[in-house]
């Protein structure tokens, strides 16, 4: 059994199929729009960057190219092992097995915090947001990137897969906590049809995945997201 940090909420895609999720990471946002949007609001050049829910560490080398220090936090022990292996040659990167609500970091030690596809549900994330307020220093910023379930076919497929999800309640939660938002019109671009289909199968129920595959010709599909942020 994998080692799981206490209090972690399971992620049904990357936890169960990290190899397929790697294909998804490679396909998402080939234009770099998400990173560009974040950097326009708060650059991480020479900064300390925290990646919350870093998974296998896919984004850590990108941060490390410009940041002074990069910290990955991931509750799934097997994914932590893969992330450490990926970043073994990067001395500025450290990776911890921990949860968002119990960050193993000192107060006011982070300039930029990023949680990518890790805060979908809004209500219930309050302990993690309190930890952000503790570890992000004055002048820093925190970013949350999530799927926008109100837009496009992808949003519709997600809502059919998670019918209890309330986009209205999620937006009300972030508004209440003083976060701002910006649309991100991302896309996924695959090199092989089989990879696209495999990714859709780990994101949705079998019935919804079959519909998504049938409705998606070719190797690309729109991936509507939202960027949320707060300055400290």
């Amino acid at each position: 059994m994998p080692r799981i940090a206490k209090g972690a909420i399971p992620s049904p895609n990357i936890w169960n199929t990290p190899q397929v999720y790697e294909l998804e990471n490679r396909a998402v946002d080939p234009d770099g729009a998400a990173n560009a949007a974040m950097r326009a609001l708060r650059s991480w050049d020479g900064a300390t960057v925290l990646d919350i829910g870093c998974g296998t560490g896919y984004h850590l080398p990108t941060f490390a190219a410009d940041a002074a220090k990069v910290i990955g936090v991931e509750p799934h022990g097997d994914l932590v092992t893969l992330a450490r292996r990926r970043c073994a040659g990067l001395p500025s990167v450290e990776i911890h097995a921990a949860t968002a609500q119990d960050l193993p970091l000192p107060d006011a030690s982070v300039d930029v915090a990023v949680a990518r596809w890790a805060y979908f549900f809004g209500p219930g994330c309050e302990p993690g947001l309190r930890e952000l307020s503790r570890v992000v220093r004055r002048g820093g910023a925190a970013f949350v990137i999530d799927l926008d379930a109100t837009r496009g076919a992808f949003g519709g497929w997600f809502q059919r897969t998670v019918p209890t999800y309330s986009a209205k309640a999620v937006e009300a939660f972030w508004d209440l906590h003083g976060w701002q938002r910006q649309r991100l019109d991302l896309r996924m671009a695959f090199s092989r049809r089989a990879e696209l289909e495999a990714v859709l199968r780990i994101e949705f129920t079998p019935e919804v995945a079959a519909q998504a595959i049938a409705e998606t010709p070719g190797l690309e599909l729109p991936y509507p997201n939202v960027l949320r942020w707060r300055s400290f």
Side-chain angles (χ1 to χ4, degrees):
M1 292 291 292
R3 297 156 290 132
I4 307 295
K6 184 179 179 181
I9 297 174
S11 175
N13 44 27
I14 190 171
W15 279 29
N16 297 329
T17 51
Q19 299 89 349
V20 178
Y21 198 83
E22 182 77 6
L23 300 176
E24 183 168 1
N25 271 325
R26 293 175 187 170
V28 170
D29 194 19
D31 312 300
N35 282 355
M38 289 189 288
R39 292 185 72 115
L41 294 164
R42 206 317 182 167
S43 172
W44 52 76
D45 290 358
T48 296
V49 177
L50 169 64
D51 186 342
I52 302 171
C54 70
T56 61
Y58 183 84
H59 297 283
L60 300 181
T62 299
F63 291 134
D66 300 302
K69 182 177 181 179
V70 179
I71 304 160
V73 169
E74 167 58 45
H76 192 292
D78 289 354
L79 301 184
V80 169
T81 298
L82 294 173
R84 288 174 175 163
R85 187 178 303 159
R86 184 194 294 272
C87 299
L90 300 173
S92 64
V93 177
E94 63 183 54
I95 301 158
H96 300 273
T99 61
Q101 62 267 31
D102 189 17
L103 297 170
L105 303 174
D107 295 353
S109 58
V110 170
D111 298 300
V112 177
V114 180
R116 202 178 307 238
W117 309 307
Y119 274 88
F120 279 97
F121 294 97
C125 293
E126 293 88 345
L129 298 190
R130 285 194 292 270
E131 277 290 82
L132 282 177
S133 295
R134 181 182 69 80
V135 303
V136 179
R137 61 171 61 103
R138 187 176 181 86
F143 297 101
V144 168
I145 299 174
D146 272 333
L147 171 70
D148 187 345
T150 68
R151 295 195 289 131
F154 207 104
W157 299 329
F158 176 80
Q159 297 236 45
R160 283 188 59 201
T161 295
V162 190
T164 57
Y165 181 85
S166 169
K168 185 176 180 180
V170 169
E171 290 307 319
F173 171 88
W174 291 106
D175 288 344
L176 178 66
H177 286 83
W179 287 62
Q180 301 182 69
R181 78 187 305 275
Q182 173 182 330
R183 280 174 47 147
L184 288 176
D185 295 317
L186 308 184
R187 64 189 177 103
M188 293 188 187
F190 295 87
S191 58
R192 298 173 59 242
R193 178 72 186 179
E195 294 175 358
L196 180 149
E197 295 183 4
V199 165
L200 292 177
R201 289 191 182 101
I202 69 167
E203 289 295 340
F204 307 118
T205 62
E207 178 186 2
V208 175
Q211 177 190 356
I213 290 168
E215 293 178 358
T216 306
L219 297 174
E220 294 193 15
L221 69 159
Y223 186 44
N225 272 234
V226 57
L227 172 65
R228 300 186 175 94
W229 77 92
R230 179 188 166 192
S231 298
F232 289 83

